[in-house]
Structures are given as C-alpha cells and as structure tokens.
Amino acid sequence: MTSPKPKTIQTMKPATAAKKLGVLLSATPAEFQEGVVSRDELNELQSTPPAWLADLRRNGPHPKQVIAVKLGVSISGLARGGITGPLTTAEIDALKAENPAWLERERAIQAETRKEALRLKQR
C-alpha cells in the first residue's frame, strides 16, 4: 500500500484573492498585496473580515464587477457609459441619484438580457 500524500496548501496570487473578495487590489494593505493567500486564509477573510476589508467593501473604491452589480448593469454597459475606473460607494450613490440616460438604457438592456436568459432556461 502507498502512504497518503501530505495535503498541499492551495495558494493564490493577491490579485486573485482580491477579485474573490470583491475588492480593488490597489486599495488593499501592502502586506496583502505582497504575499500569497492560502485557501484557508481566504476563507477566514470571507467569514470574519478584518476592519480594512469591511471598510473597503462598505466604502470602496470598488472594482468594475462590484460597480456593475451595484448599478444593475453589465461590465460592458459600464464601459459604454464611460465608467472605466474604480468608484467609491458615494460616487455610485450619486450616479444612482442622477440616473443619467446611459444608466437607464443599460439597466433596460440588462433587464431584457436576464428575462431572455430566464426564458431560455425554462425551455
């Protein structure tokens, strides 16, 4: 019989971990950006986020995928609307309050896309 191999620790680059956490890598602390993150460390960050992570999630700056979700549009819709960089929560809230024409149009496109995906799924 062969002896079981020792379990290897899965690690990921900080950019991957930041994406999984939904935060902008450049806004994270230096020690997070310079190291590697194990799967266990990622799970710990997700279950009990430290103050810096909670603050980033609450106030931003947020990456494109988070901005798109908060505005109810696609990432492509953000680009068409001229949003190419990170935004803070306050900036996102201001955009929602202003509700420019491009945002209304992109939300309608996103709603139609979701409706069509649901229709196809029900076939």
Side-chain angles (χ1 to χ4, degrees):
M1 280 189 123
T2 60
S3 61
K5 291 183 180 179
K7 188 175 181 183
T8 58
I9 297 174
Q10 279 186 315
T11 60
M12 61 191 82
K13 294 177 183 175
T16 304
K19 188 171 185 176
K20 288 179 181 284
L21 292 169
V23 296
L24 199 62
L25 178 63
S26 60
T28 61
E31 59 270 10
F32 181 85
Q33 293 179 33
E34 294 163 1
V36 293
V37 181
S38 72
R39 175 65 64 186
D40 292 337
E41 290 170 333
L42 179 70
N43 291 339
E44 180 68 24
L45 286 170
Q46 288 174 326
S47 63
T48 54
W52 64 265
L53 180 56
D55 185 53
L56 275 178
R57 286 178 168 170
R58 185 175 37 260
N59 301 318
H62 302 289
K64 287 186 283 190
Q65 66 268 20
V66 174
I67 298 169
V69 169
K70 286 180 178 271
L71 290 176
V73 300
S74 67
I75 293 174
S76 300
L78 285 178
R80 286 189 293 267
I83 307 296
T84 57
L87 297 178
T88 63
T89 300
E91 292 169 325
I92 293 169
D93 291 342
L95 258 177
K96 285 180 179 178
E98 184 184 323
N99 200 23
W102 72 265
L103 183 56
E104 280 187 48
R105 185 175 56 253
E106 292 301 331
R107 283 180 170 167
I109 291 169
Q110 186 73 353
E112 190 61 37
T113 302
R114 287 185 181 137
K115 190 179 357 175
E116 179 64 13
L118 182 62
R119 185 187 71 78
L120 292 173
K121 185 178 179 182
Q122 291 175 342
R123 288 178 111 188

